[in-house]
Amino acid sequence: MTVICDVDPAGAETLHTALGPESVLVPTMDGLNKHLAAHPEEDVVVLGAGVDPLSAARLAETMRITRPALGVVLVRRRLDTSVLADALRSGVREVVEERDVAGVARAVARVEEVARQIREQIGGVDASHASKPEGRVVSVFSAKGGCGKTTLASNLAAVLADRGHRDVCLVDLDLAFGDVAIVLQLFPTHTIADAVLMQSSLDFPALHALLTPHSAGLTTLVAPLEPGGAESVPASLIARILRLLKAHFDFVVVDTPPAFDDHVLAALDATDIVALIATLDIPAIKNLKLTLETLELLNYPKDRLRIVINRADSKVGLSMNEVEKTLRTSISSQIPSSRDVPASINRGVPIVLDDPKHPVSQAIRTFADRSIVGTVAGETGPVGEHAAERRSVLRRRSRAR
Ligand SMILES: Nc1ncnc2c1ncn2[C@@H]1O[C@H](COP(=O)(O)OP(=O)(O)O)[C@@H](O)[C@H]1O
Ligand SMILES: [Mg+2]
């Protein structure tokens, strides 16, 4: 059920009409506090435009600690960044403009869904959460663009979720040019940039509200919709986000930009398995070799690395043997080339879901089974302890070039 509080009777009535007769109307914050105390099952509070910002922030702050499942939707006459920043910092889950009546109903529906999932997780704390091992973070990386990182990351996430058998979160860390939302045809209302406003107060319920669900078992944290949004995301926030996600999902799959930037380094620190992807051309293989050397310099454990050759059947005069010899590492997976891959991307459905028997889908499924799921527990685990040391090595190295 939804409780509406607005000291302005006209505003209250509009919200009541928008949210249906089952919603409860209380005219004062005092009345609201009493109602909440008497109804522990309430999960959504809508605060109308007549409620002053301080009272709204106080309520959201208290509820976040005492009733984490409950979400506050704040209605404001006008939205600007300072209103949004203050609201999100205090723990308000959604902020909607007063005239966007349909938007209020949609926000309430999203908050209800988050509440349901949080209740499930909190409910399962005793029974399953205590024994549930932490999830694994799998990052897909290549220092060169266009190799198939996003294709592999999105299909890997979809195949790991496997019709909801496991909970998977796909994170788009290509903050400037991320295209996970496009590849999966999502219409996100929030992106990773919204987490910047909450930094130190970011907890799982708040982060959960920023996720965009895709299908059973698969949800996403998408990149900022504007390229400029990347600069505002500090690397420390990436570490925090991945830690929170890892504690709640079976797998966190990270798509990355084609560069060893601070965001990627922070992600690698939290990563259990890195899939390094390249195509069969000399520049891509050279870049992969450089990446392997850099990771070695950074003391990144070799047993966490998996080499994936994409478009591996291209007849370009390079054999797998030659590539393995050059890299001095064995190749974990070979994904064939097919026109059906860009076609599936244009349709917005990962090929592993669209055509599970396709050779590309089979290659990705086998890779997921053997090299990700089948990895013996204990071999993995993040390597964050050496983060600072590794970063200074990388900096020294890039200065020397
Ligand atoms: N196995 C494949 N066969 C054919 N086309 C592919 C394959 N893998 C990726 N592509 C295409 O290559 C392009 C780049 O892939 P993408 O995953 O976006 O690369 P990245 O994320 O590394 O920049 C896309 O148009 C994609 O459809
Ligand atoms: Mg990409």
Side-chain angles (χ1 to χ4, degrees):
M1 218 172 12
T2 306
V3 202
I4 303 163
C5 178
D6 199 342
V7 290
D8 165 26
E13 210 35 62
T14 312
L15 290 172
H16 197 210
T17 313
L19 298 174
E22 273 157 35
S23 55
V24 177
L25 206 53
V26 282
T28 62
M29 288 302 277
D30 254 4
L32 175 64
N33 282 323
K34 282 191 190 118
H35 178 89
L36 290 177
H39 296 273
E41 76 287 357
E42 292 289 18
D43 276 339
V44 189
V45 171
V46 178
L47 298 178
V51 173
D52 72 280
L54 199 62
S55 309
R58 264 198 211 127
L59 180 84
E61 263 164 14
T62 315
M63 289 301 141
R64 181 159 62 178
I65 294 156
T66 54
R67 275 166 83 159
L70 182 141
V72 176
V73 176
L74 186 63
V75 178
R76 297 287 87 166
R77 295 225 158 88
R78 262 187 305 278
L79 289 192
D80 59 42
T81 39
S82 86
V83 168
L84 272 173
D86 289 348
L88 291 173
R89 217 174 273 134
S90 65
V92 164
R93 201 121 347 123
E94 300 257 354
V95 190
V96 190
E97 207 165 25
E98 190 176 28
R99 56 191 170 165
D100 183 10
V101 178
V104 177
R106 284 197 300 272
V108 166
R110 282 194 295 273
V111 170
E112 271 171 353
E113 175 55 20
V114 172
R116 192 189 58 73
Q117 296 194 20
I118 293 173
R119 276 190 187 279
E120 258 177 37
Q121 261 153 14
I122 294 172
V125 164
D126 296 337
S128 67
H129 197 259
S131 57
K132 182 180 173 281
E134 278 209 312
R136 282 186 192 175
V137 180
V138 182
S139 294
V140 179
F141 181 72
S142 134
K144 189 169 175 289
C147 287
K149 286 183 293 297
T150 303
T151 307
L152 178 63
S154 53
N155 278 283
L156 196 56
V159 86
L160 285 168
D162 199 14
R163 290 178 290 277
H165 294 321
R166 300 191 191 89
D167 279 330
V168 180
C169 184
L170 173 60
V171 179
D172 194 347
L173 263 202
D174 191 348
L175 299 179
F177 298 106
D179 38 22
V180 162
I182 292 171
V183 165
L184 296 179
Q185 240 171 47
L186 300 168
F187 300 95
T189 51
H190 291 292
T191 76
I192 199 167
D194 296 312
V196 176
L197 301 171
M198 302 185 254
Q199 274 194 56
S200 57
S201 63
L202 186 70
D203 53 11
F204 186 68
L207 179 58
H208 199 285
L210 305 183
L211 304 180
T212 308
H214 174 266
S215 50
L218 177 58
T219 193
T220 62
L221 180 59
V222 303
L225 304 175
E226 308 283 330
E231 285 138 38
S232 64
V233 181
S236 57
L237 185 64
I238 304 294
R240 190 178 173 89
I241 287 174
L242 292 179
R243 257 200 318 276
L244 287 170
L245 292 175
K246 192 181 157 94
H248 288 87
F249 287 90
D250 299 314
F251 287 98
V252 180
V253 178
V254 184
D255 188 17
T256 59
F260 265 120
D261 60 15
D262 274 353
H263 295 129
V264 169
L265 286 172
L268 290 181
D269 288 340
T271 293
D272 299 281
I273 299 172
V274 191
L276 295 171
I277 186 164
T279 44
L280 269 185
D281 52 280
I282 303 283
I285 300 299
K286 182 213 81 179
N287 273 325
L288 177 51
K289 191 166 168 57
L290 270 177
T291 299
L292 284 168
E293 286 170 7
T294 307
L295 289 174
E296 197 176 335
L297 257 175
L298 296 175
N299 290 329
Y300 206 87
K302 224 175 162 185
D303 60 2
R304 315 250 172 116
L305 308 178
R306 307 285 182 271
I307 308 290
V308 177
I309 302 294
N310 191 18
R311 319 186 79 158
D313 53 347
S314 316
K315 303 271 175 287
V316 288
L318 267 182
S319 75
M320 286 303 152
N321 268 343
E322 283 169 319
V323 173
E324 286 189 327
K325 249 191 226 151
T326 309
L327 299 176
R328 281 194 246 120
T329 310
S330 57
I331 290 164
S332 300
S333 173
Q334 301 179 28
I335 302 171
S337 187
S338 167
R339 247 184 280 169
D340 301 328
V341 172
S344 74
I345 288 170
N346 289 343
R347 275 198 299 281
V349 186
I351 192 164
V352 291
L353 301 180
D354 204 20
D355 186 355
K357 295 215 172 80
H358 195 285
V360 169
S361 308
Q362 286 181 1
I364 294 173
R365 178 167 294 108
T366 307
F367 174 64
D369 288 345
R370 293 209 188 127
S371 304
I372 309 289
V373 181
T375 308
V376 183
E379 252 180 45
T380 60
V383 286
E385 315 87 70
H386 307 300
E389 181 196 333
R390 291 214 311 273
R391 240 177 238 131
S392 68
V393 172
L394 188 65
R395 287 213 184 89
R396 280 205 299 279
R397 197 178 188 222
S398 49
R399 272 202 298 273
R401 270 196 185 152

